[in-house]
Amino acid sequence: MIEAGVDEAGRGPLAGPVFAAAVILGNKHSISNLNDSKKISEKRRELIAEDIKVNSISWSIGMSSAKEIDDINILRASLLAMKRAIDGLEVRPDLISIDGQFSPETDLNVRTIVKGDQSNENIMAASILAKVYRDNYMRELDNSFPEYGFKQHKGYPTKMHLEALESHGITLEHRLSFKPVRNINESIR
């Protein structure tokens, strides 16, 4: 049976897209140190992500933009990113295992696993890829908006980010439907 793991990264930040990954490792994969991406250092995640891309049967990345998050809400945007990742797989899996309790619409067999990123290796791999791709996106975004410090906080609502929002206002990458951004947007009007 061919199983794909799916997970997302970036539901909580105030800026940037939400990313999802779908990964099919296969039963005899040689990838070591798999774990929930939040439990692995950034440097180690980068190394493991390269190993996943080289040694998995198939992998794919999907994303939903800040505008899509504002238009349809973060849960639906996360599911849309997951669907895009699943649809991008070059190999059709027999089963999709998804971290959490919600799943995107698909004609494939799906099971949701709460805390699956801590127990299912395919989901762990997806967790790592989604996080690495999102973090890299936010580092690139920092080149366009260095005053926000995206490479440090990756868009999360840190003190530094909130102070930058107060000082510099919002960008097109900010999620207007998220309360701290919405409050600043309303105070500017």
Side-chain angles (χ1 to χ4, degrees):
M1 178 178 67
I2 300 172
E3 177 190 13
V6 179
D7 199 5
E8 53 71 28
R11 283 184 62 165
L14 304 178
V18 61
F19 278 75
V23 177
I24 301 170
L25 291 176
N27 294 332
K28 296 182 181 179
H29 71 82
S30 62
I31 300 163
S32 57
N33 300 311
L34 288 171
N35 203 340
D36 176 357
S37 65
K38 296 179 286 299
K39 296 181 178 181
I40 303 171
S41 72
E42 188 170 339
K43 186 174 183 178
R44 184 170 287 266
R45 272 195 310 264
E46 292 277 348
L47 294 171
I48 297 170
E50 286 306 311
D51 200 11
I52 292 165
K53 291 191 297 187
V54 169
N55 294 302
S56 63
I57 292 170
S58 185
W59 62 274
S60 177
I61 301 293
M63 65 169 262
S64 288
S65 68
K67 180 172 182 346
E68 287 174 315
I69 292 166
D70 289 336
D71 288 347
I72 62 176
N73 80 36
I74 186 59
L75 174 59
R76 288 188 181 123
S78 297
L79 296 175
L80 179 58
M82 288 180 183
K83 179 171 178 30
R84 289 171 174 162
I86 293 165
D87 290 347
L89 288 170
E90 292 178 358
V91 175
R92 185 174 169 89
D94 301 309
L95 175 66
I96 304 285
S97 295
I98 297 178
D99 183 49
Q101 58 184 350
F102 301 104
S103 65
E105 288 185 28
T106 178
D107 61 347
L108 299 168
N109 292 322
V110 173
R111 70 175 170 170
T112 57
I113 305 172
V114 174
K115 297 187 180 179
D117 56 1
Q118 297 174 28
S119 62
N120 180 291
E121 288 191 333
N122 286 297
I123 295 175
M124 290 174 188
S127 168
I128 291 166
L129 280 191
K131 178 85 171 118
V132 165
Y133 271 77
R134 186 176 193 288
D135 286 356
N136 288 340
Y137 182 95
M138 296 308 290
R139 276 194 285 279
E140 286 294 318
L141 193 60
D142 190 77
N143 294 330
S144 300
F145 302 101
E147 65 275 17
Y148 289 89
F150 288 131
K151 69 181 173 188
Q152 284 92 6
H153 55 68
K154 311 297 189 289
Y156 282 90
T158 63
K159 182 179 182 207
M160 174 190 197
H161 191 185
L162 294 172
E163 287 173 355
L165 277 167
E166 287 286 341
S167 299
H168 306 290
I170 58 174
T171 70
L172 291 175
E173 290 285 343
H174 280 96
R175 301 172 181 180
L176 301 176
S177 58
F178 281 45
K179 190 174 183 179
V181 179
R182 188 174 61 239
N183 290 346
I184 288 170
N185 194 34
E186 288 171 358
S187 71
I188 293 170
R189 291 184 196 175

